[in-house]
């Protein structure tokens, strides 16, 4: 299934994409695409519905993030060896974890706002993992049974805030609009192997990133297992699994986002995002 949330910001309705690409309203079946809907029983109830029996939504629609009320937005740093190399960092021996504030979450095609005072706003296409079953110290072998589905994430980053302002990376990762998710949440039945997905990102039509999840240092299963040792993973939590090479910081010389830029990114089978970049209103 391809689950979506559509409508104006803050008033999104649940929906799904049918086999013909049509948007079907799910409001009569579930209240929202939230923790309850993402659990095994909730997903089974939605899967049992004939999409053709649901109202077809016509006209162009805005998509919000396909997960409501994200309780944790967990990110993995330097999870592709080529990305670690381009940033002059050693290949990690254990996953590098950091948090992105949930206030950064937005729709896949909403505008990216460059933070006030920023000169080093950067892009990162990443595979997002959405938890469907509570996970505590799960094994690698059982980890994927706790996953509801997968999403496209743009892990936007302000490199000066992240690397030059001291402390932890979270400061450079949590600015408003720095967490576009979607357009869809694709359930695991449609993604037989999360380690065989191509990722790509362009800025103003120039391809900067072109990778594949098969080159991850730590697989999705390993990450879910590892993270669940340190914190309980809840339905609706999002794990952003790292980015391949080609970020702005790694260019020679570095290239950063500016007002007027257009970012386009996507992952095989998970859809695409398109964001316009604009200046902070106080600049």
């Amino acid at each position: 299934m391809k689950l979506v949330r559509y409508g104006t910001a803050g008033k999104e309705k649940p929906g799904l994409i049918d086999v013909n690409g049509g948007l079907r309203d799910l409001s009569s079946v579930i209240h929202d695409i939230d923790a309850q809907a993402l659990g095994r029983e909730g997903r089974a109830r939605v899967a049992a519905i004939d999409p053709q029996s649901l109202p077809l939504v016509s006209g162009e629609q805005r998509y919000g993030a396909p997960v409501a009320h994200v309780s944790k937005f967990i990110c993995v740093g330097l999870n592709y060896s080529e990305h670690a190399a381009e940033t002059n960092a050693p290949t990690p021996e254990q996953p590098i974890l950091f948090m992105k504030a949930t206030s950064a979450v937005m729709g896949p095609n909403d505008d990216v706002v460059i933070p006030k005072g920023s000169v080093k706003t950067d892009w990162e296409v990443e595979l997002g993992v959405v938890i469907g079953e509570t996970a505590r110290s799960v094994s690698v072998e059982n980890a994927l049974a706790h996953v509801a589905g997968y999403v496209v994430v743009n892990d936007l980053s302000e490199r000066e805030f992240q690397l030059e302002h001291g402390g932890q990376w979270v400061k450079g990762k949590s600015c408003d609009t720095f967490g576009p998710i979607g357009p869809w949440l694709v359930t695991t039945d449609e993604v037989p192997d999360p380690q065989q997905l191509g990722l790509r990102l362009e800025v103003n039509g120039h391809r900067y990133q072109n990778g594949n999840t098969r080159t991850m240092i730590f697989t999705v299963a390993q990450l879910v297992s590892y993270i669940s040792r340190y914190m309980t993973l809840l339905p609706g939590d999002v794990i952003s699994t790292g980015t391949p090479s080609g970020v702005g910081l790694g260019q020679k010389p570095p290239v950063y986002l500016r007002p007027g830029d257009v970012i386009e990114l996507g992952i095989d089978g998970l859809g695409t995002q398109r964001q316009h970049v604009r200046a902070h209103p106080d600049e």
Side-chain angles (χ1 to χ4, degrees):
M1 297 181 292
K2 293 181 175 68
L3 302 176
V4 301
R5 298 173 67 247
Y6 70 96
T8 58
K11 297 181 179 179
E12 294 92 347
K13 296 180 179 180
L16 63 77
I17 305 299
D18 65 25
V19 293
N20 298 314
L23 172 60
R24 300 281 176 167
D25 183 77
L26 267 175
S27 299
S28 64
V29 182
I30 56 175
H31 173 70
D32 208 340
I33 301 174
D34 54 13
Q36 184 174 7
L38 291 170
R40 188 173 290 112
E41 292 182 4
R43 282 179 283 139
R45 185 173 59 189
V46 174
I49 301 293
D50 177 6
Q52 302 303 314
S53 69
L54 298 170
L56 182 65
V57 181
S58 60
E60 186 173 347
Q61 299 290 329
R62 170 193 173 270
Y63 286 153
V67 184
H69 316 304
V70 176
S71 71
K72 291 193 289 295
F73 198 163
I74 307 156
C75 299
V76 183
L78 305 176
N79 196 31
Y80 291 74
S81 56
E82 67 270 22
H83 174 52
E86 74 175 345
T87 58
N88 298 313
T91 300
E93 296 182 3
Q94 295 189 51
I96 296 172
L97 305 181
F98 60 92
M99 308 294 280
K100 183 186 282 280
T102 57
S103 53
V105 172
M106 70 170 189
N109 304 314
D110 294 342
D111 290 350
V112 167
V113 179
I114 294 179
K116 185 177 180 179
S118 167
V119 294
K120 296 182 179 179
T121 294
D122 203 350
W123 58 82
E124 295 186 9
V125 58
E126 305 198 2
L127 172 66
V129 178
V130 180
I131 299 298
E133 298 293 322
T134 299
R136 297 185 183 94
S137 297
V138 300
S139 67
V140 173
E141 293 74 20
N142 293 327
L144 294 186
H146 296 263
V147 175
Y150 301 95
V151 292
V152 181
V153 173
N154 188 356
D155 176 21
L156 289 142
S157 312
E158 211 301 337
R159 301 302 189 187
E160 182 180 6
F161 299 177
Q162 177 188 356
L163 303 173
E164 301 174 39
H165 286 193
Q168 300 181 345
W169 289 2
V170 65
K171 289 186 289 189
K173 297 286 189 171
S174 295
C175 303
D176 290 349
T177 76
F178 271 26
I181 300 176
W184 316 307
L185 187 161
V186 182
T187 51
T188 55
D189 56 294
E190 294 194 13
V191 186
D193 186 355
Q195 304 308 146
Q196 295 293 331
L197 301 175
L199 310 87
R200 62 204 62 86
L201 181 145
E202 298 179 356
V203 179
N204 301 330
H206 178 82
R207 179 71 59 88
Y208 283 98
Q209 293 190 273
N210 194 26
N212 194 290
T213 57
R214 65 173 173 264
T215 66
M216 283 182 179
I217 299 168
F218 304 102
T219 66
V220 170
Q222 289 172 324
L223 291 173
V224 172
S225 174
Y226 183 86
I227 296 168
S228 75
R229 291 175 54 196
Y230 298 97
M231 66 191 81
T232 298
L233 295 173
L234 302 173
D237 285 351
V238 176
I239 302 171
S240 200
T241 58
T243 196
S245 60
V247 300
L249 176 65
Q251 306 303 307
K252 301 185 183 304
V255 176
Y256 296 114
L257 294 167
R258 297 288 181 263
D261 287 346
V262 176
I263 314 166
E264 296 177 279
L265 59 149
I267 299 178
D268 292 347
L270 304 185
T272 59
Q273 301 183 359
R274 189 173 193 268
Q275 295 123 18
H276 287 85
V277 180
R278 59 184 176 87
H280 190 279
D282 292 339
E283 291 285 57

